[in-house]
């Protein structure tokens, strides 16, 4: 099943030049996925099964053209069939005025909330989504985020109560905002063409996000740690 989601951007979705921000684009795709899950009876607020939960681990995004203020935007999204016992994939096509302008792929695990370990994903877990044998990236392997030898800049951001979501940890999109804060000024408002996010360990309320930036092979790389220097999220922006 390919699920379509039409979205009317609001003023906070745009940068100063009237371009839709990368954060807004990711938010739109995230909401499309959530609404799709609601439609098939797999809502994140469904309390019938408290033993397992879908957890997002990765984003890979390519934006060929950014929408601007006044453009119509739409997202198509669908789940793939079981490709690995422990990993499920969801794909997206992003549209500007009816023309495809970006693609994305996400990776998910089904977490056993009792053990804290991934559960095996069988076909019955995905049947309700009517999976499609279709992907958006020819190479299904996710782009690796290089580990910098040294970092060029570091900032510390206290986690606010408003950063915490219904899962009692920092929301997925907030890590992207944290990562942008440590970028050089010239890069902060840049319309990056590619984005790669890998989630490691959740930041909790009362902790501090330690954001470290480096330039690696023309990629802007940000590693986010907690107070104990555990890796929480790695982000790579590409031009």
């Amino acid at each position: 099943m390919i699920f379509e989601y039409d979205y009317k951007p609001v003023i906070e979705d745009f940068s100063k030049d009237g371009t839709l921000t990368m954060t807004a684009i990711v938010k739109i795709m995230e909401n499309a996925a959530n609404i799709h899950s609601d439609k098939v009876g797999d809502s994140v607020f469904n309390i019938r099964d408290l033993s397992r939960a879908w957890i997002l681990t990765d984003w890979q995004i390519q934006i060929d053209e950014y929408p601007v203020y006044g453009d119509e935007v739409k997202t198509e999204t669908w789940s793939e069939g079981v490709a690995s016992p422990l990993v499920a994939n969801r794909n997206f096509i992003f549209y500007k005025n009816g023309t495809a302008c970006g693609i994305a792929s996400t990776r998910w695990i089904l977490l056993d909330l009792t053990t804290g370990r991934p559960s095996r994903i069988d076909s019955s877990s995905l049947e309700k989504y009517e999976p499609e044998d279709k992907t958006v990236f020819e190479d299904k392997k996710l782009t690796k985020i290089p580990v910098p030898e040294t970092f060029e800049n570091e900032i510390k951001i206290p986690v606010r109560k408003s950063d915490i979501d219904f899962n009692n940890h920092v929301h997925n999109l907030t890590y992207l905002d944290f990562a942008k804060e440590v970028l050089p000024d010239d890069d902060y408002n840049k319309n990056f063409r590619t984005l790669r996010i890998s989630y490691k360990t959740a930041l909790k309320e009362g902790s501090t996000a330690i954001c470290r930036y480096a330039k690696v092979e023309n990629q802007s790389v940000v590693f986010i740690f907690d107070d104990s220097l555990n890796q929480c999220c790695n982000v790579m922006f590409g031009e």
Side-chain angles (χ1 to χ4, degrees):
M1 175 199 302
I2 296 179
F3 178 76
E4 295 186 3
Y5 175 56
D6 293 300
Y7 177 78
K8 179 66 175 177
V10 292
I11 194 66
E12 61 263 31
D13 293 329
F14 297 92
S15 59
K16 291 187 292 185
D17 65 356
T19 301
L20 203 65
T21 65
M22 175 69 85
T23 300
I25 291 173
V26 179
K27 179 187 73 173
I28 293 166
M29 290 190 286
E30 179 185 69
N31 286 332
N34 288 337
I35 296 171
H36 184 197
S37 294
D38 291 344
K39 294 290 187 182
V40 301
D42 206 10
S43 169
V44 294
F45 293 109
N46 186 344
I47 61 173
R48 287 178 295 176
D49 183 1
L50 296 177
S51 63
R52 300 192 303 174
W54 288 105
I55 302 295
L56 176 65
T57 65
D58 293 273
W59 276 100
Q60 181 150 305
I61 300 172
Q62 175 184 312
I63 303 297
D64 298 317
E65 185 177 2
Y66 277 74
V68 298
Y69 190 76
D71 285 342
E72 295 181 356
V73 298
K74 182 183 77 171
T75 295
E76 291 179 348
T77 184
W78 64 92
S79 296
E80 292 184 37
V82 177
S84 164
L86 297 177
V87 175
N89 297 320
R90 173 184 282 278
N91 296 290
F92 302 81
I93 301 178
F94 198 76
Y95 291 88
K96 168 184 174 176
N97 297 326
T99 300
C101 64
I103 55 176
S105 183
T106 52
R107 180 168 289 182
W108 301 75
I109 60 171
L110 192 56
L111 189 69
D112 186 315
L113 299 178
T114 303
T115 65
R117 299 178 63 84
S119 299
R120 290 182 64 86
I121 301 172
D122 54 32
S123 58
S124 62
S125 302
L126 294 176
E127 282 177 355
K128 65 185 74 175
Y129 290 94
E130 300 178 32
E132 300 281 340
D133 184 19
K134 176 182 178 182
T135 188
V136 291
F137 291 104
E138 291 184 8
D139 187 353
K140 289 191 175 184
K141 292 182 180 179
L142 295 174
T143 302
K144 289 185 178 181
I145 300 177
V147 179
E149 294 183 3
T150 59
F151 290 97
E152 302 170 28
N153 190 25
E154 175 184 301
I155 63 170
K156 296 181 179 181
I157 304 174
V159 173
R160 306 168 302 173
K161 291 181 180 179
S162 58
D163 295 324
I164 305 301
D165 66 9
F166 57 88
N167 284 319
N168 292 318
H169 55 61
V170 169
H171 186 63
N172 297 326
L173 279 176
T174 305
Y175 290 96
L176 179 55
D177 291 333
F178 287 170
K180 290 175 64 178
E181 286 293 325
V182 75
L183 293 176
D185 290 344
D186 290 343
D187 286 350
Y188 182 81
N189 290 312
K190 185 177 291 184
N191 291 333
F192 290 101
R193 296 300 178 185
T194 62
L195 177 68
R196 177 78 174 84
I197 305 177
S198 179
Y199 300 101
K200 303 295 185 181
T201 304
L203 277 166
K204 302 293 183 64
E205 183 180 343
S207 61
T208 299
I210 301 173
C211 307
R212 295 176 176 174
Y213 160 83
K215 198 78 168 181
V216 183
E217 299 177 354
N218 296 320
Q219 309 288 323
S220 296
V221 177
V222 177
F223 277 49
I224 301 175
F225 304 86
D226 64 13
D227 306 88
S228 300
L229 295 184
N230 297 307
Q231 282 190 40
C232 297
C233 182
N234 302 335
V235 183
M236 182 170 67
F237 303 89
E239 299 181 17

